[in-house]
Amino acid sequence: MSQKFVITNHLTPAIVTTIEANATAAKAISDLLAITMTSTQIRSLIKIGVNRNGEMSAIYTKLLKVFPETVPLYFTIAEYEALQQERINSLLIAALYQAQANAYTNHANVCGNNLFLMSVDCLDIARLLMKNIPAVATEVNEITTDYLTPTSASDATSYSIAPSMTLSIPNLITEKRIINDGSTIITMLVKDGGTPSTITIYPGDSAVVPAGWTNVTITNLSATTAGNFKVFLR
């Protein structure tokens, strides 16, 4: 079930400024290391996987280090070892940046999750107020038209679900879509077998009914607004 997550440490504008300054300084160093290559040259680079890594390691330890006469004239053992360390350091820094990028992406995803749930709560309140405030009703209707237009589905069975209620739906056709054509968030959970993993479906969206999910329970997460959805039955 979707939920709001607590963000203990916020990415404040001051922190962003500091990170941007450090990133700019790091980029200035990285730019000096850039190797200009054409797309054809990049595609032609030899891919170094586990097997080739092992081969290079064996050649280094069993030949280059033991039999100096096997070293080609165009490089020295010291140059080879330096290049070896440079590759290790490059991959280490790349992994560091990737880990940081993943952390920031996850942070953004959590913010997006919380923002969407907050927005839906706002829409729920607006639907209650729209009866008495025409201006609110105008905006709610416009948002509904623009973003919550029902997805068409022929031969699908329509259901309405009251606020905070759960419905049991048997005899679903699996691997067909359940369509949330209402304005609330609903969840789907398998009953009587299958993997018990909740699927969250946002307004105007849909989800494929997994194999084995012939009997499910549908829950309306809104405490104030009725939901609507369509399913395909046997």
Coordinates of all heavy atoms in Angstrom, one line a residue, residues 17-63:
T17 N 23.4 24.3 -2.8 CA 24.5 25.2 -3.2 C 25.8 24.6 -3.0 O 26.8 24.7 -3.8 CB 24.3 26.5 -2.5 OG1 23.0 27.1 -2.8 CG2 25.4 27.5 -2.9
T18 N 26.0 24.0 -1.8 CA 27.3 23.4 -1.4 C 27.6 22.3 -2.4 O 28.8 22.1 -2.9 CB 27.3 22.9 0.0 OG1 27.0 24.0 0.9 CG2 28.6 22.3 0.4
I19 N 26.7 21.4 -2.6 CA 26.9 20.3 -3.5 C 27.2 20.7 -4.9 O 28.1 20.2 -5.6 CB 25.7 19.3 -3.5 CG1 25.5 18.7 -2.2 CG2 25.8 18.3 -4.6 CD1 24.2 17.8 -2.0
E20 N 26.5 21.7 -5.4 CA 26.7 22.2 -6.8 C 28.1 22.8 -6.9 O 28.8 22.6 -7.9 CB 25.7 23.3 -7.1 CG 24.3 22.8 -7.4 CD 23.3 23.9 -7.8 OE1 23.6 25.0 -7.4 OE2 22.3 23.6 -8.4
A21 N 28.6 23.5 -5.8 CA 30.0 24.1 -5.8 C 31.0 23.0 -5.9 O 32.0 23.0 -6.6 CB 30.2 24.9 -4.6
N22 N 30.8 21.9 -5.1 CA 31.7 20.8 -5.0 C 31.7 20.0 -6.4 O 32.7 19.6 -6.9 CB 31.4 19.8 -3.9 CG 31.7 20.5 -2.5 OD1 32.6 21.3 -2.4 ND2 31.0 20.0 -1.5
A23 N 30.5 19.9 -6.9 CA 30.4 19.2 -8.2 C 31.0 19.9 -9.3 O 31.7 19.3 -10.2 CB 28.9 18.9 -8.5
T24 N 30.9 21.2 -9.3 CA 31.6 22.1 -10.3 C 33.1 22.0 -10.2 O 33.8 21.9 -11.2 CB 31.1 23.5 -10.1 OG1 29.7 23.6 -10.3 CG2 31.8 24.4 -11.2
A25 N 33.6 21.9 -9.0 CA 35.0 21.8 -8.8 C 35.5 20.4 -9.2 O 36.6 20.3 -9.9 CB 35.4 22.0 -7.3
A26 N 34.7 19.4 -8.9 CA 35.1 18.0 -9.4 C 35.0 17.9 -10.9 O 35.9 17.3 -11.5 CB 34.2 17.0 -8.7
K27 N 34.0 18.6 -11.5 CA 33.9 18.5 -13.0 C 35.1 19.2 -13.6 O 35.6 18.8 -14.7 CB 32.6 19.2 -13.4 CG 32.3 19.1 -14.9 CD 31.0 19.8 -15.2 CE 30.7 19.6 -16.7 NZ 31.7 20.3 -17.6
A28 N 35.6 20.3 -13.0 CA 36.7 21.0 -13.6 C 37.9 20.1 -13.7 O 38.7 20.1 -14.6 CB 37.0 22.2 -12.8
I29 N 38.1 19.2 -12.7 CA 39.2 18.2 -12.7 C 38.9 17.1 -13.7 O 39.8 16.7 -14.5 CB 39.3 17.6 -11.3 CG1 39.7 18.7 -10.2 CG2 40.4 16.5 -11.3 CD1 39.7 18.2 -8.8
S30 N 37.6 16.6 -13.7 CA 37.3 15.5 -14.6 C 37.4 16.0 -16.1 O 37.8 15.2 -16.9 CB 35.8 15.1 -14.3 OG 35.7 14.6 -13.0
D31 N 37.1 17.2 -16.3 CA 37.2 17.7 -17.7 C 38.6 17.6 -18.3 O 38.8 17.4 -19.5 CB 36.7 19.1 -17.8 CG 35.1 19.2 -17.7 OD1 34.5 18.2 -17.8 OD2 34.6 20.3 -17.5
L32 N 39.6 17.8 -17.4 CA 41.0 17.7 -17.8 C 41.3 16.3 -18.2 O 42.3 16.0 -18.9 CB 41.9 18.2 -16.7 CG 41.7 19.7 -16.3 CD1 42.6 20.0 -15.1 CD2 42.0 20.6 -17.5
L33 N 40.6 15.3 -17.7 CA 40.9 13.9 -17.9 C 40.1 13.3 -19.1 O 40.3 12.2 -19.5 CB 40.5 13.1 -16.7 CG 41.2 13.5 -15.3 CD1 40.6 12.7 -14.2 CD2 42.7 13.3 -15.4
A34 N 39.2 14.1 -19.6 CA 38.4 13.6 -20.7 C 39.2 13.2 -21.9 O 40.2 13.9 -22.3 CB 37.4 14.7 -21.1
I35 N 38.8 12.1 -22.5 CA 39.5 11.5 -23.7 C 38.5 11.7 -24.9 O 37.5 11.1 -24.9 CB 39.9 10.1 -23.5 CG1 40.8 9.9 -22.3 CG2 40.5 9.5 -24.8 CD1 41.0 8.5 -21.9
T36 N 38.9 12.5 -25.8 CA 38.1 12.8 -27.0 C 38.0 11.5 -27.9 O 39.1 11.1 -28.4 CB 38.5 14.0 -27.8 OG1 38.6 15.1 -26.9 CG2 37.6 14.3 -28.9
M37 N 36.8 11.0 -28.2 CA 36.6 9.9 -29.0 C 35.4 10.0 -29.9 O 34.4 10.7 -29.4 CB 36.5 8.6 -28.1 CG 37.7 8.3 -27.2 SD 37.4 6.9 -26.2 CE 37.4 5.6 -27.4
T38 N 35.4 9.4 -31.0 CA 34.3 9.4 -31.9 C 33.3 8.3 -31.4 O 33.8 7.4 -30.7 CB 34.6 9.2 -33.4 OG1 35.2 7.9 -33.5 CG2 35.7 10.2 -33.8
S39 N 32.1 8.3 -31.9 CA 31.1 7.3 -31.5 C 31.6 5.9 -32.0 O 31.4 4.9 -31.4 CB 29.8 7.6 -32.1 OG 29.8 7.7 -33.5
T40 N 32.3 5.9 -33.2 CA 32.8 4.7 -33.8 C 33.9 4.1 -32.9 O 34.0 2.9 -32.6 CB 33.3 4.9 -35.2 OG1 32.3 5.4 -36.0 CG2 33.9 3.6 -35.8
Q41 N 34.8 5.0 -32.4 CA 35.9 4.6 -31.5 C 35.3 4.0 -30.2 O 35.9 3.0 -29.7 CB 36.8 5.7 -31.3 CG 37.6 6.1 -32.5 CD 38.4 7.4 -32.3 OE1 38.0 8.3 -31.6 NE2 39.7 7.5 -32.8
I42 N 34.3 4.7 -29.7 CA 33.7 4.2 -28.4 C 33.1 2.8 -28.6 O 33.3 1.9 -27.8 CB 32.6 5.2 -27.9 CG1 33.3 6.5 -27.5 CG2 31.9 4.6 -26.8 CD1 32.3 7.6 -27.2
R43 N 32.4 2.6 -29.7 CA 31.8 1.3 -30.0 C 32.9 0.2 -30.2 O 32.6 -1.0 -29.9 CB 30.9 1.3 -31.2 CG 29.6 2.1 -30.9 CD 28.6 1.8 -32.0 NE 29.1 2.2 -33.4 CZ 28.9 3.4 -33.9 NH1 28.2 4.3 -33.2 NH2 29.3 3.7 -35.1
S44 N 34.1 0.6 -30.7 CA 35.1 -0.4 -31.0 C 36.0 -0.8 -29.8 O 36.8 -1.7 -29.9 CB 36.0 0.2 -32.1 OG 36.8 1.3 -31.6
L45 N 35.7 -0.1 -28.6 CA 36.5 -0.4 -27.4 C 36.3 -1.9 -27.0 O 35.2 -2.4 -27.1 CB 36.1 0.5 -26.3 CG 36.6 2.0 -26.3 CD1 36.0 2.8 -25.2 CD2 38.1 2.0 -26.2
I46 N 37.4 -2.5 -26.6 CA 37.3 -3.9 -26.2 C 36.6 -3.9 -24.8 O 36.9 -3.2 -23.9 CB 38.7 -4.5 -26.1 CG1 39.4 -4.5 -27.4 CG2 38.6 -5.9 -25.5 CD1 40.9 -4.9 -27.4
K47 N 35.6 -4.8 -24.7 CA 34.8 -4.9 -23.5 C 35.6 -5.8 -22.5 O 36.0 -7.0 -22.9 CB 33.5 -5.5 -23.7 CG 32.6 -4.7 -24.7 CD 32.3 -3.3 -24.1 CE 31.4 -2.5 -25.0 NZ 31.9 -2.2 -26.4
I48 N 35.9 -5.3 -21.3 CA 36.7 -6.1 -20.4 C 35.8 -6.6 -19.3 O 35.4 -6.0 -18.4 CB 37.8 -5.2 -19.7 CG1 38.6 -4.5 -20.8 CG2 38.7 -6.0 -18.8 CD1 39.4 -5.5 -21.7
G49 N 35.5 -7.9 -19.4 CA 34.6 -8.6 -18.5 C 35.4 -9.5 -17.5 O 36.6 -9.3 -17.4
V50 N 34.7 -10.4 -16.9 CA 35.4 -11.2 -15.8 C 36.5 -12.1 -16.5 O 37.6 -12.2 -16.0 CB 34.3 -12.1 -15.2 CG1 35.0 -13.1 -14.2 CG2 33.3 -11.3 -14.4
N51 N 36.2 -12.7 -17.6 CA 37.2 -13.6 -18.3 C 38.4 -12.8 -18.7 O 39.6 -13.3 -18.4 CB 36.5 -14.3 -19.5 CG 37.4 -15.4 -20.0 OD1 37.7 -16.3 -19.3 ND2 37.8 -15.2 -21.3
R52 N 38.2 -11.7 -19.3 CA 39.4 -10.9 -19.8 C 40.2 -10.3 -18.6 O 41.4 -10.2 -18.7 CB 39.0 -9.8 -20.8 CG 38.7 -10.4 -22.2 CD 38.2 -9.4 -23.1 NE 38.1 -9.9 -24.5 CZ 37.2 -9.5 -25.4 NH1 36.4 -8.5 -25.1 NH2 37.2 -10.0 -26.6
N53 N 39.5 -10.0 -17.5 CA 40.2 -9.5 -16.3 C 41.1 -10.6 -15.8 O 42.2 -10.4 -15.4 CB 39.1 -9.1 -15.3 CG 38.9 -7.6 -15.2 OD1 39.8 -6.8 -15.5 ND2 37.7 -7.2 -14.9
G54 N 40.5 -11.8 -15.8 CA 41.3 -13.0 -15.3 C 42.5 -13.2 -16.2 O 43.6 -13.5 -15.7
E55 N 42.3 -13.1 -17.5 CA 43.4 -13.3 -18.5 C 44.5 -12.3 -18.2 O 45.7 -12.6 -18.2 CB 42.9 -13.2 -19.9 CG 43.9 -13.4 -20.9 CD 43.4 -13.2 -22.4 OE1 42.1 -13.1 -22.5 OE2 44.2 -13.2 -23.3
M56 N 44.1 -11.0 -18.1 CA 45.1 -10.0 -17.9 C 45.9 -10.2 -16.6 O 47.1 -10.0 -16.5 CB 44.5 -8.6 -17.9 CG 44.0 -8.1 -19.3 SD 43.5 -6.4 -19.3 CE 42.2 -6.3 -18.1
S57 N 45.2 -10.6 -15.6 CA 45.8 -10.8 -14.3 C 46.8 -11.9 -14.3 O 47.9 -11.8 -13.8 CB 44.7 -11.1 -13.2 OG 45.3 -11.4 -12.0
A58 N 46.4 -13.0 -15.1 CA 47.3 -14.1 -15.2 C 48.6 -13.7 -16.0 O 49.7 -14.1 -15.6 CB 46.6 -15.3 -15.9
I59 N 48.4 -13.0 -17.1 CA 49.5 -12.5 -17.9 C 50.5 -11.6 -17.0 O 51.7 -11.8 -17.1 CB 49.0 -11.8 -19.1 CG1 48.4 -12.7 -20.1 CG2 50.2 -11.0 -19.8 CD1 47.7 -12.1 -21.2
Y60 N 49.9 -10.8 -16.2 CA 50.7 -9.9 -15.4 C 51.5 -10.6 -14.4 O 52.7 -10.4 -14.2 CB 49.8 -8.9 -14.7 CG 50.4 -8.0 -13.7 CD1 51.4 -7.0 -14.0 CD2 50.1 -8.2 -12.3 CE1 52.0 -6.3 -13.0 CE2 50.8 -7.4 -11.3 CZ 51.7 -6.5 -11.7 OH 52.3 -5.7 -10.7
T61 N 50.8 -11.5 -13.6 CA 51.5 -12.2 -12.5 C 52.4 -13.4 -13.0 O 53.5 -13.6 -12.4 CB 50.5 -12.8 -11.5 OG1 49.6 -13.7 -12.2 CG2 49.7 -11.7 -10.9
K62 N 52.0 -14.0 -14.1 CA 52.8 -15.2 -14.5 C 53.8 -14.9 -15.6 O 54.7 -15.7 -15.8 CB 51.8 -16.3 -15.0 CG 50.9 -16.8 -13.9 CD 50.0 -17.9 -14.4 CE 49.1 -18.4 -13.2 NZ 48.2 -19.5 -13.7
L63 N 53.7 -13.8 -16.3 CA 54.6 -13.5 -17.4 C 55.4 -12.2 -17.2 O 56.6 -12.2 -17.0 CB 53.9 -13.5 -18.7 CG 53.3 -14.8 -19.2 CD1 52.5 -14.6 -20.5 CD2 54.5 -15.8 -19.5

